[in-house]
Amino acid sequence: MNEQQISTLLRAEWDDLPVGPAPVHLVEKLAERDRRRQAGRRWGGIVGVAAATLLAVALVTTRGDTEDPRPVGPVVDNPADVSWTDGFTLHLDRTTLTVGDELDDLVAWHSRVAEDGGRYGVVYASVDGDVIHVDSLGRVRTIGRTGADDTYVAASTVSPWSAWVDATEGHPALVVHDTAKNKQVAREPLPAAALAGPAVDPVRRSMAIAVDGERVWVRTPTGDLVWEPGRPLKASPYAGSWVLDAADRTVVTSPADPTVPSLVTVASASGPSYSVRGSGNAAVSPDGRHVLVGMAPIGNASLAWKVYDAASGEPVGIETPSLGQSDEIEQAVLGETSAVFVVGRDRTLPEEGSGSASEFQRQEIVSCPLSGDPCVTQMSIPGAELDSGRLVLEH
């Protein structure tokens, strides 16, 4: 794939994925950059990555019963409540990992996956189509393929399962993988009837949307499917709606019909279903107790966000990041104790006719506690210091 194809792909994906999309001129900025850095830096990076990979292999084979082995990379406490990336470097809870500096290595999106002891790793699909698992120690292994046109991988923060759609063998199939055992749990071909829709529409492309314990939600051109162990794929019980996210038996959906007014429906295992006004952007906390909903902007206002109690439907009073006239919330995720946002500060507009994208002078990760306490800026990085130009949170 060339830069233009990758840019088109990521623009489609970022515009239509469930929760607050990160701007996609990240790839366009990369295309403008010199892809071949100074020889010393480049070869030094290759040697460093190779050494880290060899050390990872050594640790995998010699770990034994060590209770708290050290990460492969530097021991770095993550100041943020979630995992994040600037495109080529993943930031886990206690280490960082640089995956490369070429477009095919780009981490477009990543999902956190649970490990024993409260730790977490991540899974992601590179733009080139490899599905990668990185554990909490920074050890890397390829666990599958999605195909070069698909970069969406779902995972669970309460189980070691991850899921994606693999179309590399001709017929798309749902793959469920246990990252703790490094073992494929299931490979289920998608029903032919489910693939009969207009797949050119990015919203209707086949992809794994959410891993909810041992349930996996899958989007197809003709509607959502759900898979559970020992059972074949079946149609979603939420007919006429897209599943946006799911966790601990709380499922958030929005109407599949674009002519229906913007609504988000919450179905909780511990309460009746209800609908609230929303823009089709929503996320469920890992424990299923809260739902974060993006509210459609009015006029030139930025997308607003509200948190609801998943069982009662009552709003949860939290602060959200303060925004200046040239600021914008670019992405939002929900943890068990806080909502976390990527905020772009001081947008500069390009000169008319230049063909360049607008830029933020600074990127911030801001955490807003569900307790209602003031928001805390956990990371603040000048845009010029971000190798890819964007901070992207887990999804």
Side-chain angles (χ1 to χ4, degrees), residues 171-173 188-197 206 220-222 225 233:
H171 188 89
E188 290 285 334
L190 301 185
L195 304 175
S206 299
T220 74
T222 58
L225 305 173
L233 283 161

Side-chain angles (χ1 to χ4, degrees), residues 113-115 121-123 132-135 141 143 155-156 159-162 164 176-185:
V113 63
E115 294 182 5
V122 300
V123 291
I132 310 295
H133 171 226
V134 183
D135 73 7
R141 61 188 172 199
I143 59 176
S156 172
S159 85
W161 283 13
S162 60
W164 61 90
V176 182
H177 186 92
D178 186 321
T179 58
K181 298 178 180 178
N182 192 25
K183 180 180 179 180
Q184 184 171 288
V185 175

Side-chain angles (χ1 to χ4, degrees), residues 39-93:
R41 288 183 62 195
R42 176 160 180 76
W43 284 106
I46 292 175
V47 171
V49 171
T53 303
L54 290 173
L55 179 55
V57 173
L59 283 176
V60 169
T61 57
T62 62
R63 176 177 175 179
D65 296 325
T66 303
E67 292 184 359
D68 189 21
R70 292 177 62 82
V72 172
V75 179
V76 180
D77 288 332
N78 186 352
D81 297 331
V82 296
S83 59
W84 55 282
T85 177
D86 71 349
F88 295 120
T89 302
L90 284 164
H91 298 258
L92 306 179
D93 58 347

Side-chain angles (χ1 to χ4, degrees), residues 325-348:
Q325 186 174 2
S326 300
D327 300 343
E328 183 178 317
I329 292 178
E330 300 185 276
Q331 192 190 353
V333 298
L334 188 60
E336 292 185 359
T337 61
S338 62
V340 184
F341 303 88
V342 170
V343 181
R345 301 286 188 189
D346 301 322
R347 181 194 291 272
T348 59

